[in-house]
Amino acid sequence: MSIREIPLNRVRITDAFWSPRQRLMTDVTIPYMEKILRDEVPGAEKSHAISNFRMAAGEETGEFYGMVFQDSDVAKWLEAAAYSLALKPDKELEARVDDVVALIGRCQQSDGYLNTYFTVKEPENRWANLLECHELYCAGHMIEAGVALHEAAGKDELLHICIRLADHICDRFMQVEGIPGHQEIEIGLMRLYHATGNAKYRDMALRFLDLRGQDPQWFEKHTPKHPGVHYGGYDIIAEDTAYNQSNVPVREQTVARGHAVRQLYMLTAMADAAADTGDAELIAACDRLFDNITQKQMYVTGAVGSTPHHEAFTVDYDLPSDRCYGETCASVAMTFFAHNMLAIKPDGRYADLMELELYNAALAGMSQDGKRFFYVNPLTVDTSVSGIVPGYEHVLPQRPAWHACACCPPNLARLIASLGKYLWSEDEGTVYSHLFIGSEVETRYGRISMTSGYPWEGKAEYTIHDGGDFALTIHVPQHAVKVSLHVNGEEVSNVTADGYCRIQRNWQPDDRVTVEFDMPVRRIHAHPCVRDAAGKVALARGPLVYCVEGMDHHASLSSIVLPESAVVHTTAEEMVALHVNGIAQYASDRLYSVDSVKAMPISIRAIPYFAWGNRAPGDMQVWIREA
Amino acid sequence: MSIREIPLNRVRITDAFWSPRQRLMTDVTIPYMEKILRDEVPGAEKSHAISNFRMAAGEETGEFYGMVFQDSDVAKWLEAAAYSLALKPDKELEARVDDVVALIGRCQQSDGYLNTYFTVKEPENRWANLLECHELYCAGHMIEAGVALHEAAGKDELLHICIRLADHICDRFMQVEGIPGHQEIEIGLMRLYHATGNAKYRDMALRFLDLRGQDPQWFEKHTPKHPGVHYGGYDIIAEDTAYNQSNVPVREQTVARGHAVRQLYMLTAMADAAADTGDAELIAACDRLFDNITQKQMYVTGAVGSTPHHEAFTVDYDLPSDRCYGETCASVAMTFFAHNMLAIKPDGRYADLMELELYNAALAGMSQDGKRFFYVNPLTVDTSVSGIVPGYEHVLPQRPAWHACACCPPNLARLIASLGKYLWSEDEGTVYSHLFIGSEVETRYGRISMTSGYPWEGKAEYTIHDGGDFALTIHVPQHAVKVSLHVNGEEVSNVTADGYCRIQRNWQPDDRVTVEFDMPVRRIHAHPCVRDAAGKVALARGPLVYCVEGMDHHASLSSIVLPESAVVHTTAEEMVALHVNGIAQYASDRLYSVDSVKAMPISIRAIPYFAWGNRAPGDMQVWIREA
């Protein structure tokens, strides 16, 4: 039996760093999302998502509007709202959620089918085009919302709707072959299985997973070519079978390719199923892809997806820092994947990856005020080309206003609002702490609370409130130096295996465990095959990767050099910044010259990557030349 | 009165480096081009260009085939064939040229109009769509061919056809407004003016130039939107007015933008017209754009066009080395432009640019055997991404076979075959030598010959065979060091102005002038705003920029570092190669590590850039990290 997360309703986050960010979600982002869905924000792009449901229920007339997957916006909001209700009871929000859920119920067909596009526009073409039509994708998100409302808010109406929907899907797709064009239903079905215990949902998820890639031409053969059931303009996908990972059976895949979010949603479900079934082949496939992604195709910030073309992985070691896609959703999905890998085994690499994504690539997707969001998370921004020159159109020096987007903001909202479930897990005899995020948790051994100075200080204190005979097993990040553990003030030996310290005791009420470690500034170097990082260094401290911003320097960022011997100082400002004496190099004002390179001293200031772009738009760089 | 080139028929190249390359053109490339046009190469892409003319003459039935500008392939071949006849008399070739010219004559309409596409397919739509239809472009190339046959081969039939064509164009476009969608007619008209002395062709060229950009919406207003006269799929161009430089009046342009070949053909004609008229405003515009291109937007090899998207210039200092377009045609056009600037004033920067293009970016377009050609000339080739990863599809590690292309090979063929006309010019009292390419020339002061060890040695010897009272004015490249000049063995003072040494004498028969200079290996650094070259060095010697190839190194090219203090040695192999002790840096096999950087010694071997990619396909890099 694998270890399982301690669910959201048993965890309360009390963290100086994350609690304010959760409040941004409950107080700003999630209410704003709802207004968008209801078309109540003047000047914002039309959503029409709630209206689509009204039309499907026969309660409004007009035309369906939006993407064929417009329903998923409502589902993602409902999921985020569920977590919001868990964080902060709100009768009015609850009533509005109930309203929307009841509306969804009225849209559901008698056979369980639920999708407003096909109900309103093309009832005769249900399930006809799995490649492009996202019916299973929307269903997956709706099921996630149903499970979330059940687990986080104790509300079951949507769960029942989703059970009917899932039963309908099982009835159909256990009979006929079908592969989802965009992976997501697999995640939903696994979550529904965990919530209900009904194994047929897991089996359906496994069938969807295992059919993929058996016949690389499956989508080409099964996608209608005539207009009317041809939606997304994704003709190319029928040829580029790696785009949705249908080129190779999932158990045989060795490298991440194609659309990054599709790949990672698939891996999220695979890891979940593998943890549940213990299927060695599936576990091995997850491990291979985890290694490939993290050791060959991931930016130092945790971002993935090297090209905006199809928002995709490319090839090993191709990590251009200035033109990457690094979609926020992909970093959110990396967190999902890593979290589910932890249910297979408590390996510190998975917790390290969650930490990397949460504090860096994922968090950078959001402005400090919670109102603006990046889709794309580059490691170099040069304002002379970003957003202007072909190949850089997608790279923005400033987060766009929220309402221009549809996928990344709600994905980040549901991640941050549900952060509690990523912190702790347990099995018989063990409680695992994965992240140093201050919180209180109800374990099977009673209440444990933890406080932490993270991400600024390498220090955490656990209080066991009830006690019991179990191992408190604490993840110590891979970057920690001089780790010391104390139980009630007495040092204990630092037994680590796979990145976790395991302290087995018969714990007494009010026992305290402290973990302390140094977080020196790290100079990170990349593999020599990463062309764009050759000869460069990235600065990091603790969980945070740092970057330099143009506005802090009187030289073009590309001219800045950090001597190998220079000592980097930390200064506690609003957040810990790094300061170091560097040099700015230049040869001449001419385009090319044989002048020798001159150097002038420059004070380099680096700030956490997640915080970049929160002042004025400007240049930014993670990798700094090293001499 | 400006200085004028000494035309081709008065110059004979006798150069160890270039003569074999001219023979490749006459013996391999130009005959092959003709076979392509006649569809006589099995397996090659269908051209149909000669058949199109047969159909327009009513001598063959069938469908027009090819691009709307297919005629220009025939014109460019005729121009190259003209130069070939000047280099190497060939009765058979001459007869075939005569045949084609006669065929062209039979296609010409009674009013002078000449274009097979419109004659065969849409006679009612002549001149209806100047943006897309390339009628003026094809006419320009045909006129260049007519002038070339007249000047280089003493054959006038095509010239007469072209005069009728040009008269037709003047009759029409002196009356109604028209702007060529792809600049080229301006060059042809200027050449026709020089050949005939008829100023109306120059005035027509000036009118075409000066109408451009007066109304940035001109093309949008004057391009038919209905199918049938909408050809190229260039809808975007009507919006992106910088694409064909119609965004700003040409005299007001300050930066090169848009399609590089269009920009440079325009500048070639502008410089020609400016030299002829002495128009200060036009000269200033040419100077500004020359400076902008060479000081802000040119690769160190001479390549221009930073993006494959519309084969275009982008913004100042945007010079990515791995994804540039650097079209061979653009480097050929840079040579045209620089050559015409020399007619305005003998400034060494123009001759330096011709030298840079001829020995580097342009020449690299061709394989050593003259059979394979690059369109795209990158400065970094990483075979793990080149030709594979989105954004790198156009970057090839190997020259494609000739017949896959249509524009670059004939452009290079006509440049190399007509190289003689770039070497010398003269005016009253002065003979100018621009390039150290061994040759004999008939000047107004009689015969002069020159031998040179270029590009391997900094040495040239001039022999004045007839004598006379004039200044021999020799361009000494900007890179030359310790220049010494001797006349009949006696040192003369090295008087240089604007990059030329001027020796005024009453020359006697058999007077000899020698120029000697050192060509130490140069370490070139780029402006700090060129992100991709920051911290890197390019090696050059004499006119040649060097590169490293993967197959000569046991380390990934991006890991190689050249210490600032390392002494670079030259070794005379088949060509002069550079050798230097460098280091290969690596930190770890992991993707990211905090290991300090290790270094192992490595022997770096660099070869001339023009010669890269002539062994097996592999990695290549011009910029090398410097420490």
Side-chain angles (χ1 to χ4, degrees), chain A residues 523-525, chain B residues 586-590 592-598:
Chain A
R523 286 172 174 259
I524 300 178
H525 299 111
Chain B
Y586 63 100
S588 162
D589 281 343
R590 277 169 291 147
Y592 303 111
S593 81
V594 292
D595 298 352
S596 58
V597 174
K598 297 177 238 340

Side-chain angles (χ1 to χ4, degrees), chain A residues 337-350:
Chain A
F337 175 35
H339 176 236
N340 284 356
M341 289 301 285
L342 278 171
I344 297 175
K345 60 179 175 194
D347 185 322
R349 293 181 306 147
Y350 309 138

Side-chain angles (χ1 to χ4, degrees), chain A residues 294-295 298-300 309 318 322-323 382 389-390 392 525-528 531 534-535 558 589 591-593 595 625, chain B residues 294-295 298-300 309 318 322-323 382 389-390 392 525-528 531 534-535 558 589 591-593 595 625:
Chain A
T294 58
Q295 287 305 308
M298 184 180 74
Y299 289 89
V300 71
H309 182 80
D318 175 43
D322 57 347
R323 291 162 289 124
D382 172 349
V389 166
Y392 295 91
H525 299 111
H527 189 282
R531 262 193 296 125
S558 62
D589 281 343
L591 184 53
Y592 303 110
S593 80
D595 297 354
R625 287 200 282 136
Chain B
T294 58
Q295 287 304 308
M298 183 180 75
Y299 289 88
V300 70
H309 182 79
D318 175 42
D322 57 347
R323 291 161 290 126
D382 171 349
V389 166
Y392 295 92
H525 298 112
H527 189 282
R531 262 193 297 125
S558 63
D589 281 343
L591 184 54
Y592 303 111
S593 81
D595 298 352
R625 287 201 283 137

Side-chain angles (χ1 to χ4, degrees), chain B residues 346-456:
Chain B
D347 185 320
R349 292 180 306 147
Y350 309 138
D352 283 330
L353 181 61
M354 290 203 303
E355 180 183 289
L356 179 68
E357 299 294 351
L358 285 168
Y359 287 98
N360 299 281
L363 187 55
M366 185 175 82
S367 63
Q368 298 275 68
D369 64 6
K371 291 180 178 167
R372 300 173 78 92
F373 293 83
F374 275 134
Y375 266 51
V376 169
N377 296 284
L379 278 75
T380 294
V381 169
D382 171 349
T383 47
S384 71
V385 298
S386 298
I388 302 167
V389 166
Y392 295 92
E393 295 93 337
H394 63 297
V395 181
L396 305 180
Q398 194 174 25
R399 292 169 184 80
W402 182 83
H403 57 266
C405 315
C407 76
C408 294
N411 238 343
L412 207 48
R414 65 180 179 135
L415 175 67
I416 294 174
S418 67
L419 190 60
K421 71 175 177 171
Y422 297 87
L423 311 188
W424 301 87
S425 51
E426 60 185 3
D427 60 14
E428 191 52 47
T430 311
V431 172
Y432 298 90
S433 163
H434 303 300
L435 294 164
F436 293 128
I437 295 177
S439 53
E440 291 190 4
V441 57
E442 286 297 333
T443 74
R444 66 182 73 182
Y445 302 101
R447 193 158 63 94
I448 299 175
S449 62
M450 186 258 275
T451 59
S452 155
Y454 229 49
W456 313 116

Side-chain angles (χ1 to χ4, degrees), chain A residues 526-531 534-535, chain B residues 553-562 582-587 597-600 602 604 621 624-625:
Chain A
H527 189 282
C529 285
V530 181
R531 262 193 296 125
Chain B
H553 301 90
H554 298 293
S556 74
L557 294 181
S558 63
S559 73
I560 293 180
V561 177
L562 178 52
I583 50 181
Q585 286 186 340
Y586 63 100
V597 174
K598 297 177 238 340
M600 59 176 191
I602 190 169
I604 301 174
Q621 211 176 268
I624 306 168
R625 287 201 283 137

